[in-house]
Amino acid sequence: MSSNQNDVVFFDENGLRTDGRKPDEIRPMKIKIGVLSRANGSCYLEWGANKVLAAVYGPREAHPKRTQRAGQAIIRYRYNMQSFSVEDRARPGPSRRSSEISKVSREAFEPVIISDAYPKAAIDIFVEVLQADAGTRTAAINAASLALVDAGIPIRGLVSACAVGKVGGKIVLDLNKPEDNYGEADLPIAMTEDGKITLVQMDGNLSPSEFEEAMELVQKGCRQVLEIQKAALMEKFAANIDFDETVA
Ligand code: UDP
């Protein structure tokens, strides 16, 4: 969050944001499932100007062997930002930021992946950010969720993620880059289909009542994302189901 936030105009005279959205509107999302033939599951997702690619491998024997767990599969998540994905070239390789995002994103999935079905195995989730415009960790989680389904990994439900924040004194959904840079707060969350929150982070300041308002709004955002994820799954997989032959 920048200190010159007071100089930035976030809303026009109609209360619309710099990219024309209403405060409670998410950016347009495009999804393609199954884009990589060598991965067990994959998903390419665009959210506004964010472009991310998720690949899932496994369940496969965990290596090195000392990482294996007798009663369950281990889950690994690697979030990586390509150097060319940002305005000022990002330094290649892991950073504190990418390690943190990888850790919290893995934790966002742990409650939904039925890992005890695969002792000694590893489930690897890789996410590459190809173009970044704020909200890459949430975009990555949404793509990873669908790549897990594409890989046939047993899950209790989808994970949907969205950010909420405060800009120009207002609570708004799914911050874009200027809002993220110059706004007062940014709060990414991830949520399961049955409404359990598996990730909450917060940068900036919110009062308790603003926090409550933000949490309510962001859960609505996650529900919107869930509907888009489900539509993408229907598009990918429903074409192969002959509903007439389905046994009642
Ligand atoms: N960003 C950047 N360089 C970096 C890290 C981030 O330009 O090394 C930009 C990028 O557009 C990113 C945004 O800042 O999407 C917000 O980053 P943040 O750490 O809040 O994570 P995100 O919102 O992408 O999950």
Side-chain angles (χ1 to χ4, degrees), residues 67-190:
T67 62
Q68 292 181 355
R69 296 187 64 182
Q72 65 187 96
I74 56 162
I75 299 159
R76 295 184 289 218
Y77 190 110
R78 195 192 72 176
Y79 164 102
N80 183 51
M81 189 170 239
Q82 289 292 336
S83 303
F84 54 78
S85 68
V86 290
E87 230 163 289
D88 302 318
R89 175 181 178 274
R91 199 180 161 167
S95 62
R96 279 186 64 163
R97 177 178 173 277
S98 67
S99 305
E100 173 206 304
I101 293 175
S102 299
K103 176 185 181 288
V104 296
S105 304
R106 172 176 52 74
E107 289 169 354
F109 281 102
E110 273 172 348
V112 301
I113 297 176
I114 302 175
S115 52
D116 51 9
Y118 303 102
K120 300 187 177 179
I123 295 166
D124 285 299
I125 306 167
F126 297 95
V127 191
E128 294 294 330
V129 176
L130 308 176
Q131 188 169 287
D133 196 52
T136 58
R137 77 194 66 198
T138 47
I141 287 171
N142 293 329
S145 193
L146 295 169
L148 281 166
V149 177
D150 190 36
I153 307 278
I155 53 173
R156 296 183 175 88
L158 292 169
V159 174
S160 309
C162 189
V164 67
K166 183 180 168 189
V167 299
K170 273 203 185 116
I171 302 298
V172 300
L173 207 50
D174 179 28
L175 278 64
N176 62 28
K177 186 73 166 55
E179 291 172 337
D180 182 293
N181 275 12
Y182 305 116
E184 294 109 279
D186 175 27
L187 201 159
I189 82 153

Side-chain angles (χ1 to χ4, degrees), residues 23-24 164-166 169-173 187 206-221:
D24 62 349
V164 67
K166 183 180 168 189
K170 273 203 185 116
I171 302 298
V172 300
L173 207 50
L187 201 159
L206 292 178
S207 70
S209 66
E210 284 169 343
F211 181 78
E212 250 173 60
E213 185 187 339
M215 286 305 287
E216 205 165 300
L217 185 59
V218 78
Q219 290 179 60
K220 283 190 191 148

